[in-house]
Amino acid sequence: MKNRRKFLQTAGLSTLALSLPWSESLAYLSSSKEEKVLRVALMGLGSYASRVAEAMKDCRRAKLVGVISGTPSKIAQWQQKYGLEAKNCYSYDTVHLLKENKDIDAVYVITPNALHKPHALAVATAGKHVICEKPMAINADEGREIVAACTAAGVQLLVGYRMHFEANTLEIVKKQRAGEFGKTLFFQGLSGFIIGNPSQWRLNRALSGGGAMMDIGIYSINGARYMLGEEPVWVTAQEEKTDPVKFGEGIDETITFQLGFPSGAIASCLSTYSLNHLDKFFLSGSKGFAEMQPSTGYGPIKAWTHAGPLDKPHVTHQTTQMDEMASILLDGKTPFLPVNGEEGVKDLQIIDAIYEAVRTGKKIMLPG
Ligand code: NAD
């Protein structure tokens, strides 16, 4: 203790730091001037919000300080579990009051897909940075509305693309950009799981905006773009439905789709709610290949190339994501792979085109 006190005094730290237990002193150090901490409120306290909250316990730059929920009993539980002050807890009807709250920097919207737009707009209007779960909205027009609202309100908008910060993913992407695989002309993305409870919001179009594509297929779309490092110029797609009762009108069960890129590269992907163990990326180049399985699950991500396995250690994705997002929002850091609203809109444009291709049976051209 004596040594610690001496160290702190030598380091010129305040009596506040001296009066705190050792672990809290460390938190104080990391929240000093150079290392501001992002104070986050989570909106929608469902299963993914719970995962994010647990992961944030290990964050260095981001801290859970508040919640927005329609269920008072959940707010009480979360307050107790995470030590949240009552003044940082809101219902959906009182979100506008966030404007008066100086202790919250950003709100992470983790509600059903179709609610992302109204919720993101409410947060932006209240003057807080918006972090929005994927898909950012249920179509590109809604996505553009969110981008415009955040710009008009002078707040930043980020999308919860956790894979954009995952170490093995980034390693492969950097190898691709450095030409280690040669000319990459083929990507395969397989994304799916067997969905359970038929009465959940994911199978209710009014809340989900679609089926497997909105939820899990988006990982193959996003992955095709970051693994190839190009934007697609055309889309073709085919739908299969084995259970039209569970997967009603406007809820896609299985879609295979192909994306064509300016270089001539092609992506061939599968999105489904009817197959398990489907979480795989494969990238083929003239000089080598990369493979990932699992490729987008919560990890550990397993990745290897023609040269052997990758060995970046597993860190809980949401911990890294929230720390990195703090650097983006507080320090203006530019991430290697973007997570801004424009990135969210790009995936939504492709989803729109996939649905149009399924509907019309035609090849749909994209702006690229
Ligand atoms: P969930 O059903 O577990 O939670 C949704 C929450 O929204 C619930 O707390 C619910 O009470 C609340 N909610 C508010 N208004 C609602 C309404 N009108 N109807 C229904 N629920 C309402 O869902 P989840 O799995 O946490 O998914 C939430 C979002 O997070 C989705 O957009 C999903 O795509 C995304 N998500 C992302 C990842 C990822 O890895 N990035 C993983 C899971 C989910």
Side-chain angles (χ1 to χ4, degrees), residues 246-258:
K246 187 171 183 181
F247 306 104
E249 184 69 28
I251 299 290
D252 49 288
E253 177 187 342
T254 299
I255 292 180
T256 49
F257 61 96
Q258 302 76 39

PDB file of all heavy atoms in Angstrom, residues 246-258:
ATOM      1  N   LYS A 246     -44.610 -21.470 -41.004  1.00  0.00           N
ATOM      2  CA  LYS A 246     -43.643 -20.812 -40.102  1.00  0.00           C
ATOM      3  C   LYS A 246     -43.044 -19.559 -40.758  1.00  0.00           C
ATOM      4  O   LYS A 246     -42.848 -18.537 -40.104  1.00  0.00           O
ATOM      5  CB  LYS A 246     -42.529 -21.808 -39.753  1.00  0.00           C
ATOM      6  CG  LYS A 246     -41.557 -21.308 -38.699  1.00  0.00           C
ATOM      7  CD  LYS A 246     -40.628 -22.428 -38.249  1.00  0.00           C
ATOM      8  CE  LYS A 246     -39.697 -21.978 -37.156  1.00  0.00           C
ATOM      9  NZ  LYS A 246     -38.779 -23.038 -36.727  1.00  0.00           N
ATOM     10  N   PHE A 247     -42.757 -19.676 -42.056  1.00  0.00           N
ATOM     11  CA  PHE A 247     -42.137 -18.560 -42.778  1.00  0.00           C
ATOM     12  C   PHE A 247     -43.189 -17.978 -43.723  1.00  0.00           C
ATOM     13  O   PHE A 247     -43.282 -18.353 -44.890  1.00  0.00           O
ATOM     14  CB  PHE A 247     -40.902 -19.038 -43.548  1.00  0.00           C
ATOM     15  CG  PHE A 247     -39.916 -19.751 -42.648  1.00  0.00           C
ATOM     16  CD1 PHE A 247     -39.802 -21.142 -42.670  1.00  0.00           C
ATOM     17  CD2 PHE A 247     -39.133 -19.037 -41.751  1.00  0.00           C
ATOM     18  CE1 PHE A 247     -38.910 -21.803 -41.829  1.00  0.00           C
ATOM     19  CE2 PHE A 247     -38.238 -19.691 -40.899  1.00  0.00           C
ATOM     20  CZ  PHE A 247     -38.130 -21.080 -40.932  1.00  0.00           C
ATOM     21  N   GLY A 248     -43.983 -17.068 -43.188  1.00  0.00           N
ATOM     22  CA  GLY A 248     -45.121 -16.514 -43.935  1.00  0.00           C
ATOM     23  C   GLY A 248     -44.686 -15.515 -44.993  1.00  0.00           C
ATOM     24  O   GLY A 248     -43.493 -15.354 -45.298  1.00  0.00           O
ATOM     25  N   GLU A 249     -45.670 -14.814 -45.524  1.00  0.00           N
ATOM     26  CA  GLU A 249     -45.458 -13.814 -46.567  1.00  0.00           C
ATOM     27  C   GLU A 249     -44.427 -12.768 -46.099  1.00  0.00           C
ATOM     28  O   GLU A 249     -44.562 -12.194 -45.019  1.00  0.00           O
ATOM     29  CB  GLU A 249     -46.825 -13.146 -46.847  1.00  0.00           C
ATOM     30  CG  GLU A 249     -46.850 -12.131 -47.961  1.00  0.00           C
ATOM     31  CD  GLU A 249     -46.645 -12.784 -49.338  1.00  0.00           C
ATOM     32  OE1 GLU A 249     -46.999 -13.976 -49.500  1.00  0.00           O
ATOM     33  OE2 GLU A 249     -46.100 -12.089 -50.213  1.00  0.00           O
ATOM     34  N   GLY A 250     -43.401 -12.585 -46.910  1.00  0.00           N
ATOM     35  CA  GLY A 250     -42.415 -11.554 -46.577  1.00  0.00           C
ATOM     36  C   GLY A 250     -41.354 -12.001 -45.594  1.00  0.00           C
ATOM     37  O   GLY A 250     -40.497 -11.207 -45.186  1.00  0.00           O
ATOM     38  N   ILE A 251     -41.403 -13.274 -45.184  1.00  0.00           N
ATOM     39  CA  ILE A 251     -40.362 -13.824 -44.291  1.00  0.00           C
ATOM     40  C   ILE A 251     -39.592 -14.883 -45.075  1.00  0.00           C
ATOM     41  O   ILE A 251     -40.094 -15.992 -45.302  1.00  0.00           O
ATOM     42  CB  ILE A 251     -40.979 -14.455 -43.015  1.00  0.00           C
ATOM     43  CG1 ILE A 251     -41.750 -13.427 -42.189  1.00  0.00           C
ATOM     44  CG2 ILE A 251     -39.898 -15.137 -42.167  1.00  0.00           C
ATOM     45  CD1 ILE A 251     -40.899 -12.383 -41.491  1.00  0.00           C
ATOM     46  N   ASP A 252     -38.374 -14.542 -45.517  1.00  0.00           N
ATOM     47  CA  ASP A 252     -37.590 -15.502 -46.288  1.00  0.00           C
ATOM     48  C   ASP A 252     -36.974 -16.555 -45.378  1.00  0.00           C
ATOM     49  O   ASP A 252     -36.404 -16.237 -44.340  1.00  0.00           O
ATOM     50  CB  ASP A 252     -36.497 -14.795 -47.104  1.00  0.00           C
ATOM     51  CG  ASP A 252     -35.675 -13.819 -46.278  1.00  0.00           C
ATOM     52  OD1 ASP A 252     -36.221 -12.751 -45.926  1.00  0.00           O
ATOM     53  OD2 ASP A 252     -34.513 -14.135 -45.952  1.00  0.00           O
ATOM     54  N   GLU A 253     -37.134 -17.809 -45.800  1.00  0.00           N
ATOM     55  CA  GLU A 253     -36.549 -18.929 -45.056  1.00  0.00           C
ATOM     56  C   GLU A 253     -35.121 -19.193 -45.577  1.00  0.00           C
ATOM     57  O   GLU A 253     -34.162 -19.132 -44.821  1.00  0.00           O
ATOM     58  CB  GLU A 253     -37.419 -20.182 -45.252  1.00  0.00           C
ATOM     59  CG  GLU A 253     -36.873 -21.431 -44.585  1.00  0.00           C
ATOM     60  CD  GLU A 253     -37.683 -22.682 -44.958  1.00  0.00           C
ATOM     61  OE1 GLU A 253     -38.834 -22.561 -45.442  1.00  0.00           O
ATOM     62  OE2 GLU A 253     -37.146 -23.797 -44.768  1.00  0.00           O
ATOM     63  N   THR A 254     -35.024 -19.455 -46.873  1.00  0.00           N
ATOM     64  CA  THR A 254     -33.715 -19.723 -47.483  1.00  0.00           C
ATOM     65  C   THR A 254     -33.591 -18.959 -48.796  1.00  0.00           C
ATOM     66  O   THR A 254     -34.482 -19.017 -49.639  1.00  0.00           O
ATOM     67  CB  THR A 254     -33.551 -21.235 -47.771  1.00  0.00           C
ATOM     68  OG1 THR A 254     -33.635 -21.942 -46.530  1.00  0.00           O
ATOM     69  CG2 THR A 254     -32.225 -21.536 -48.443  1.00  0.00           C
ATOM     70  N   ILE A 255     -32.490 -18.231 -48.932  1.00  0.00           N
ATOM     71  CA  ILE A 255     -32.202 -17.556 -50.203  1.00  0.00           C
ATOM     72  C   ILE A 255     -30.748 -17.839 -50.577  1.00  0.00           C
ATOM     73  O   ILE A 255     -29.849 -17.697 -49.744  1.00  0.00           O
ATOM     74  CB  ILE A 255     -32.433 -16.019 -50.112  1.00  0.00           C
ATOM     75  CG1 ILE A 255     -33.930 -15.706 -49.953  1.00  0.00           C
ATOM     76  CG2 ILE A 255     -31.888 -15.306 -51.346  1.00  0.00           C
ATOM     77  CD1 ILE A 255     -34.257 -14.213 -49.848  1.00  0.00           C
ATOM     78  N   THR A 256     -30.538 -18.275 -51.818  1.00  0.00           N
ATOM     79  CA  THR A 256     -29.167 -18.315 -52.344  1.00  0.00           C
ATOM     80  C   THR A 256     -29.023 -17.072 -53.212  1.00  0.00           C
ATOM     81  O   THR A 256     -29.969 -16.670 -53.899  1.00  0.00           O
ATOM     82  CB  THR A 256     -28.911 -19.583 -53.193  1.00  0.00           C
ATOM     83  OG1 THR A 256     -29.978 -19.731 -54.128  1.00  0.00           O
ATOM     84  CG2 THR A 256     -28.842 -20.816 -52.323  1.00  0.00           C
ATOM     85  N   PHE A 257     -27.858 -16.436 -53.122  1.00  0.00           N
ATOM     86  CA  PHE A 257     -27.678 -15.224 -53.934  1.00  0.00           C
ATOM     87  C   PHE A 257     -26.246 -15.111 -54.428  1.00  0.00           C
ATOM     88  O   PHE A 257     -25.323 -15.703 -53.836  1.00  0.00           O
ATOM     89  CB  PHE A 257     -28.109 -13.965 -53.177  1.00  0.00           C
ATOM     90  CG  PHE A 257     -27.353 -13.683 -51.901  1.00  0.00           C
ATOM     91  CD1 PHE A 257     -26.272 -12.805 -51.896  1.00  0.00           C
ATOM     92  CD2 PHE A 257     -27.721 -14.269 -50.699  1.00  0.00           C
ATOM     93  CE1 PHE A 257     -25.576 -12.510 -50.725  1.00  0.00           C
ATOM     94  CE2 PHE A 257     -27.027 -13.995 -49.524  1.00  0.00           C
ATOM     95  CZ  PHE A 257     -25.955 -13.120 -49.533  1.00  0.00           C
ATOM     96  N   GLN A 258     -26.110 -14.387 -55.523  1.00  0.00           N
ATOM     97  CA  GLN A 258     -24.808 -14.185 -56.132  1.00  0.00           C
ATOM     98  C   GLN A 258     -24.587 -12.678 -56.317  1.00  0.00           C
ATOM     99  O   GLN A 258     -25.530 -11.955 -56.642  1.00  0.00           O
ATOM    100  CB  GLN A 258     -24.733 -14.871 -57.508  1.00  0.00           C
ATOM    101  CG  GLN A 258     -25.003 -16.377 -57.466  1.00  0.00           C
ATOM    102  CD  GLN A 258     -26.489 -16.726 -57.296  1.00  0.00           C
ATOM    103  OE1 GLN A 258     -27.359 -16.066 -57.868  1.00  0.00           O
ATOM    104  NE2 GLN A 258     -26.789 -17.747 -56.502  1.00  0.00           N
TER     105      GLN A 258
END
